[in-house]
Amino acid sequence: TIVTLLLNVSQLEYQLNEILKNLLAEKKHAWTEGRASAANRMYELSEYFAGSQSLSRVKRDENMMRWFATLGNKVEELNLEEDHATASGRKLQSLIAALNDVEQYEAIDA
């Protein structure tokens, strides 16, 4: 019975190890893909406030255009490999807070 228990525990450990290996292997791809997507959306918002999109009813707003372009650059500069995960998380939280703040701006509400 103890031998069976040890075998079951070792099998569980092996399965968990394989799951963690797969997660770590996919981490870089998911990070890169998510970062690129977020940066593209910031650039799209920058273009929206440039008034260059044909469906745009908003007046050209240089400040918002520059702000979203800068935000896109900050998102692209995020580097999970060079920065500690906690530092990257804090940077992401500050970017999300900035987006939540600008959401209150009346021009985006329309």
Side-chain angles (χ1 to χ4, degrees):
T1 55
I2 291 181
V3 174
T4 306
L5 176 65
L6 288 174
L7 286 173
N8 288 338
V9 169
S10 66
Q11 186 177 19
L12 176 64
E13 179 185 12
Y14 174 77
Q15 290 172 346
L16 286 174
N17 192 13
E18 290 299 311
I19 290 170
L20 287 175
K21 281 182 187 178
N22 290 336
L23 287 174
L24 288 174
E26 294 173 7
K27 178 181 173 182
K28 184 176 182 178
H29 174 70
W31 171 263
T32 304
E33 189 175 290
R35 182 183 64 187
S37 176
N40 286 336
R41 291 172 200 253
M42 293 302 110
Y43 293 132
E44 286 175 9
L45 284 169
S46 175
E47 290 174 11
Y48 174 79
F49 283 102
S52 60
Q53 290 187 354
S54 61
L55 298 176
S56 176
R57 294 184 197 165
V58 72
K59 292 180 183 176
R60 184 176 181 88
D61 188 335
E62 292 288 332
N63 291 332
M64 293 297 281
M65 184 181 74
R66 281 192 301 270
W67 189 79
F68 280 111
T70 301
L71 210 58
N73 288 335
K74 287 181 180 180
V75 169
E76 279 188 340
E77 289 172 2
L78 290 173
N79 190 341
L80 192 59
E81 293 175 2
E82 290 180 12
D83 295 337
H84 191 272
T86 304
S88 294
R90 287 187 188 132
K91 289 177 185 177
L92 281 172
Q93 285 177 338
S94 70
L95 293 172
I96 290 168
L99 287 170
N100 286 334
D101 289 344
V102 80
E103 186 177 25
Q104 302 303 318
Y105 190 68
E106 64 184 70
I108 294 180
D109 233 6

